[in-house]
Amino acid sequence: MRLRLVPKETSLDFFRFWKTTFGASVLAMVASVVLFLLVGLNFGIDFLGGTTIRTESSQPVDVGAYRDALDPLGLGDVVITEVFDTNFGPEQNVASVKIQAQEGEEAVSNAVLDEIQGALRAYDSNITFPSVESVGPEVSGELIQTAAIAVVLAIMAVLVYIWLRFEWQFSLGAVAALVHDITLTIGVFALLQIQFDLAIIAALLTIVGYSLNDTVVVFDRVRENLRKFKQRPLVEVLNLSINETLSRTVMTSVTTLLALISLYVLGGDVIRGFVFAMIWGVIVGTYSSVFVASAILLYLGVTRDTSKTDGGAGTQFADIDA
């Protein structure tokens, strides 16, 4: 007996209250923009500037002990990670200590550096500091600009890809879903004030890929059913297509979330922000594929090309058991 997360055949009406769900999505996006403008993001060292200190010792790196040693200094945001390299010898235990720029300063001052080194030496007398690097506000500003450009270019590439593969109505629906996912992710980071750094930008780009994949699977089945059921109303075709791919959607989302939740609980502070963004992205990405992308398609309508067959739609894996 196989476990099913959803019945083999479903007939859920996803568009019974589509205007309400779409309106709620729009309101959530507006709220996210307001939070971003009024509250702002809790930018990390990558975007605010700061100093990175590289440490090396014959003793194993203990991130918790390093943090306890530095906490009394009141340095603000401190990120400590162990550095691994196959070229390191058995006596080379390397760590990276990132400290945000202090108020009114472009980088950590020499006096503060001396305090940091003294605190770490008090814990480990054998520790050395091979390098100290600072990132100023100018470089941080360039990183913010580059990150924003990367996200915009990814969305534009998706727009062109969907437009070429389907029709412009499908393209606008897919891009609307991506904008929805990214906007809500930024909004929840502004609301919860979770640290926003380059790892979160990587998560946003990953969310774009995940959400797009889910949307394309649904749209492929929609295109196939539009050719198969030429006289059915569009809303019925959309409902049928989503129900037919529901098993695949649920299975993909649940298995992905199981892995992400495990990482969130056991992965530690270093990747927790990234994993949280991915968890949130999977949830809103699954939601937007149905209640945003498909709703846009229903509103705009689509021209049916009856001259083409339904072969080659690429949905042979849409009916896997869930």
Side-chain angles (χ1 to χ4, degrees), residues 102-227:
Q102 306 302 296
E103 187 174 355
E105 301 287 342
E106 291 192 0
V108 176
S109 65
N110 290 331
V112 175
L113 283 175
D114 290 339
E115 292 182 4
I116 294 170
Q117 293 175 359
L120 292 175
R121 285 197 180 100
Y123 164 73
D124 181 0
S125 60
N126 296 320
I127 198 169
T128 60
F129 306 94
S131 66
V132 177
E133 299 176 350
S134 295
V135 177
E138 183 176 348
V139 175
S140 299
E142 292 177 358
L143 287 175
I144 295 176
Q145 183 179 6
T146 304
I149 291 174
V151 174
V152 171
L153 288 178
I155 294 177
M156 291 179 62
V158 169
L159 176 66
V160 174
Y161 166 73
I162 300 294
W163 199 319
L164 293 175
R165 181 165 181 176
F166 298 95
E167 297 179 27
W168 65 269
Q169 297 96 329
F170 289 87
S171 181
L172 290 182
V175 170
L178 296 183
V179 173
H180 168 273
D181 299 344
I182 292 174
T183 303
L184 262 61
T185 302
I186 292 176
V188 77
F189 269 77
L191 176 64
L192 302 179
Q193 287 296 289
I194 301 172
Q195 182 175 288
F196 194 92
D197 52 24
L198 286 177
I200 308 306
I201 298 298
L204 290 178
L205 294 175
T206 307
I207 291 169
V208 168
Y210 181 92
S211 179
L212 175 63
N213 177 71
D214 203 27
T215 302
V216 166
V217 169
V218 175
F219 279 0
D220 261 337
R221 184 51 63 92
V222 170
R223 181 174 58 177
E224 178 183 353
N225 284 331
L226 283 172
R227 296 169 183 169

Side-chain angles (χ1 to χ4, degrees), residues 254-306:
V254 170
T255 52
T256 304
L257 285 173
L258 287 175
L260 290 172
I261 292 172
S262 299
L263 282 173
Y264 185 82
V265 174
L266 304 174
D269 293 336
V270 176
I271 63 171
R272 189 156 289 159
F274 173 85
V275 176
F276 175 82
M278 286 299 303
I279 292 173
W280 176 258
V282 168
I283 295 172
V284 297
T286 303
Y287 170 89
S288 67
S289 296
V290 176
F291 296 102
V292 177
S294 298
I296 290 286
L297 191 59
L298 176 62
Y299 178 77
L300 294 176
V302 60
T303 302
R304 305 193 188 195
D305 188 353
T306 58

